[in-house]
Coordinates of all heavy atoms in Angstrom, one line a residue:
V281 N -2.2 5.3 -5.8 CA -2.6 4.9 -4.5 C -2.2 6.0 -3.4 O -3.1 6.3 -2.5 CB -2.1 3.5 -4.1 CG1 -2.4 3.2 -2.7 CG2 -2.6 2.5 -5.1
P282 N -1.0 6.5 -3.4 CA -0.7 7.5 -2.3 C -1.5 8.7 -2.3 O -1.5 9.5 -1.4 CB 0.8 7.8 -2.6 CG 1.3 6.6 -3.3 CD 0.2 6.1 -4.2
N283 N -2.3 9.0 -3.4 CA -3.1 10.2 -3.5 C -4.5 9.9 -2.7 O -5.3 10.8 -2.7 CB -3.4 10.6 -4.9 CG -2.4 11.7 -5.4 OD1 -2.2 12.6 -4.6 ND2 -1.9 11.5 -6.6
L284 N -4.6 8.7 -2.2 CA -5.9 8.4 -1.5 C -5.5 8.0 -0.1 O -4.4 7.4 0.2 CB -6.5 7.2 -2.2 CG -7.0 7.4 -3.7 CD1 -7.5 6.2 -4.3 CD2 -8.0 8.6 -3.8
P285 N -6.5 8.2 0.8 CA -7.6 9.1 0.7 C -7.2 10.5 0.4 O -6.1 10.9 0.6 CB -8.3 9.0 2.1 CG -7.8 7.7 2.7 CD -6.4 7.6 2.2
P286 N -8.1 11.3 -0.1 CA -7.8 12.6 -0.6 C -7.3 13.5 0.5 O -7.8 13.5 1.6 CB -9.1 13.2 -1.2 CG -9.9 12.0 -1.4 CD -9.5 11.0 -0.4
S287 N -6.3 14.4 0.2 CA -5.8 15.4 1.1 C -6.9 16.4 1.4 O -6.9 17.0 2.5 CB -4.6 16.1 0.6 OG -4.9 16.6 -0.7
D288 N -7.9 16.5 0.5 CA -9.1 17.4 0.7 C -9.8 17.0 2.0 O -10.6 17.8 2.5 CB -10.0 17.3 -0.5 CG -9.3 17.6 -1.8 OD1 -8.4 16.8 -2.1 OD2 -9.6 18.6 -2.5
Y289 N -9.7 15.7 2.4 CA -10.4 15.3 3.6 C -9.6 15.5 4.9 O -9.9 15.1 6.0 CB -10.6 13.8 3.5 CG -11.7 13.3 2.5 CD1 -11.9 12.0 2.2 CD2 -12.5 14.3 1.9 CE1 -12.9 11.6 1.3 CE2 -13.5 13.9 1.0 CZ -13.7 12.5 0.7 OH -14.6 12.1 -0.2
G290 N -8.4 16.2 4.7 CA -7.5 16.4 5.9 C -6.6 15.2 6.1 O -6.0 15.2 7.2
M291 N -6.5 14.3 5.2 CA -5.7 13.1 5.4 C -4.3 13.4 5.1 O -3.9 14.1 4.1 CB -6.2 12.0 4.5 CG -7.7 11.7 4.6 SD -8.2 11.3 6.3 CE -7.6 9.6 6.5
V292 N -3.4 12.8 5.9 CA -1.9 13.1 5.8 C -1.1 11.8 6.1 O -1.7 10.8 6.5 CB -1.5 14.2 6.8 CG1 -2.2 15.5 6.5 CG2 -1.7 13.7 8.2
R293 N 0.2 11.9 5.8 CA 1.1 10.9 6.3 C 2.0 11.6 7.3 O 2.3 12.8 7.2 CB 2.0 10.4 5.1 CG 1.3 9.6 4.0 CD 2.2 9.3 2.9 NE 2.3 10.5 2.0 CZ 1.6 10.7 0.9 NH1 0.6 9.8 0.5 NH2 1.8 11.8 0.2
Y294 N 2.5 10.8 8.3 CA 3.4 11.3 9.3 C 4.9 11.1 8.9 O 5.2 10.1 8.3 CB 3.2 10.7 10.6 CG 1.8 10.9 11.2 CD1 0.7 10.0 10.9 CD2 1.5 12.1 11.8 CE1 -0.5 10.2 11.4 CE2 0.2 12.3 12.3 CZ -0.8 11.4 12.1 OH -2.1 11.6 12.5
G295 N 5.7 12.1 9.1 CA 7.1 11.9 8.9 C 7.6 12.6 7.6 O 7.0 13.6 7.2
K296 N 8.7 12.1 7.1 CA 9.3 12.8 5.9 C 8.8 12.1 4.6 O 8.8 10.9 4.5 CB 10.8 12.6 6.0 CG 11.5 13.4 7.2 CD 13.0 13.2 7.2 CE 13.6 14.0 8.3 NZ 15.1 13.8 8.3
L297 N 8.5 12.9 3.7 CA 8.1 12.4 2.3 C 9.3 12.3 1.4 O 10.0 13.3 1.2 CB 7.1 13.3 1.7 CG 6.6 13.0 0.3 CD1 5.9 11.6 0.3 CD2 5.8 14.1 -0.3
I298 N 9.6 11.2 0.9 CA 10.7 11.0 0.0 C 10.0 10.7 -1.4 O 9.4 9.7 -1.6 CB 11.6 9.8 0.3 CG1 12.4 10.2 1.6 CG2 12.6 9.5 -0.8 CD1 13.4 9.2 2.0
S299 N 10.1 11.7 -2.3 CA 9.5 11.6 -3.6 C 10.5 10.9 -4.5 O 11.6 11.3 -4.8 CB 9.2 13.0 -4.1 OG 8.6 12.9 -5.4
L300 N 10.0 9.7 -5.0 CA 10.9 8.9 -5.9 C 11.0 9.7 -7.2 O 10.0 10.2 -7.8 CB 10.3 7.6 -6.2 CG 10.1 6.7 -5.0 CD1 9.5 5.3 -5.4 CD2 11.3 6.5 -4.2
P301 N 12.2 9.8 -7.8 CA 12.5 10.7 -8.9 C 12.1 10.2 -10.3 O 12.9 10.1 -11.2 CB 14.0 11.0 -8.8 CG 14.5 9.7 -8.3 CD 13.5 9.2 -7.3
S302 N 10.9 9.7 -10.4 CA 10.4 9.1 -11.6 C 10.3 10.0 -12.8 O 10.3 9.6 -14.0 CB 9.1 8.3 -11.4 OG 8.1 9.3 -11.0
D303 N 10.3 11.3 -12.5 CA 10.2 12.3 -13.6 C 11.6 12.6 -14.2 O 11.7 13.2 -15.3 CB 9.6 13.6 -13.1 CG 8.1 13.5 -13.0 OD1 7.5 12.6 -13.7 OD2 7.5 14.3 -12.3
D304 N 12.6 12.2 -13.5 CA 14.0 12.4 -14.0 C 14.4 11.2 -14.9 O 14.4 10.1 -14.5 CB 14.9 12.4 -12.8 CG 16.4 12.7 -13.2 OD1 16.9 12.1 -14.1 OD2 17.0 13.6 -12.6
E305 N 14.6 11.5 -16.2 CA 14.9 10.5 -17.2 C 16.1 9.6 -16.8 O 16.1 8.4 -17.0 CB 15.1 11.1 -18.6 CG 13.8 11.6 -19.2 CD 14.0 12.1 -20.6 OE1 15.1 11.8 -21.2 OE2 13.1 12.7 -21.2
D306 N 17.2 10.3 -16.3 CA 18.4 9.6 -15.9 C 18.1 8.6 -14.7 O 18.5 7.5 -14.7 CB 19.5 10.5 -15.5 CG 20.0 11.3 -16.7 OD1 19.9 10.8 -17.8 OD2 20.6 12.4 -16.5
A307 N 17.3 9.1 -13.7 CA 16.9 8.3 -12.6 C 16.0 7.1 -13.0 O 16.2 6.0 -12.5 CB 16.3 9.1 -11.5
A308 N 15.1 7.4 -13.9 CA 14.2 6.4 -14.4 C 15.0 5.3 -15.1 O 14.8 4.1 -15.0 CB 13.1 6.9 -15.2
G309 N 16.0 5.7 -15.9 CA 16.8 4.8 -16.7 C 17.6 3.9 -15.7 O 17.8 2.7 -15.9
K310 N 18.2 4.5 -14.7 CA 19.0 3.8 -13.7 C 18.1 2.8 -13.0 O 18.5 1.7 -12.7 CB 19.7 4.8 -12.8 CG 20.6 4.1 -11.8 CD 21.8 3.4 -12.5 CE 22.7 2.8 -11.5 NZ 23.8 2.0 -12.2
S311 N 16.9 3.2 -12.7 CA 16.0 2.3 -12.0 C 15.7 1.1 -12.8 O 15.7 -0.1 -12.3 CB 14.7 3.0 -11.7 OG 13.7 2.2 -11.2
L312 N 15.5 1.3 -14.1 CA 15.2 0.1 -15.0 C 16.4 -0.8 -15.1 O 16.3 -2.0 -15.2 CB 14.7 0.6 -16.3 CG 13.4 1.3 -16.4 CD1 13.1 1.8 -17.8 CD2 12.3 0.4 -15.9
E313 N 17.6 -0.2 -15.1 CA 18.8 -1.0 -15.1 C 18.9 -1.8 -13.9 O 19.3 -3.0 -14.0 CB 20.0 -0.1 -15.2 CG 20.2 0.6 -16.6 CD 21.4 1.6 -16.6 OE1 22.3 1.5 -15.6 OE2 21.5 2.4 -17.5
T314 N 18.6 -1.3 -12.8 CA 18.7 -2.0 -11.5 C 17.7 -3.1 -11.5 O 18.0 -4.2 -11.0 CB 18.4 -1.0 -10.3 OG1 19.3 0.1 -10.4 CG2 18.5 -1.7 -9.0

Side-chain angles (χ1 to χ4, degrees):
V281 175
N283 266 318
L284 301 175
S287 56
D288 307 62
Y289 289 171
M291 308 302 288
V292 298
R293 291 175 284 264
Y294 298 95
K296 295 180 178 179
L297 175 66
I298 295 185
S299 181
L300 302 182
S302 59
D303 283 339
D304 185 308
E305 289 187 9
D306 290 339
K310 185 62 178 178
S311 173
L312 293 176
E313 289 178 15
T314 303

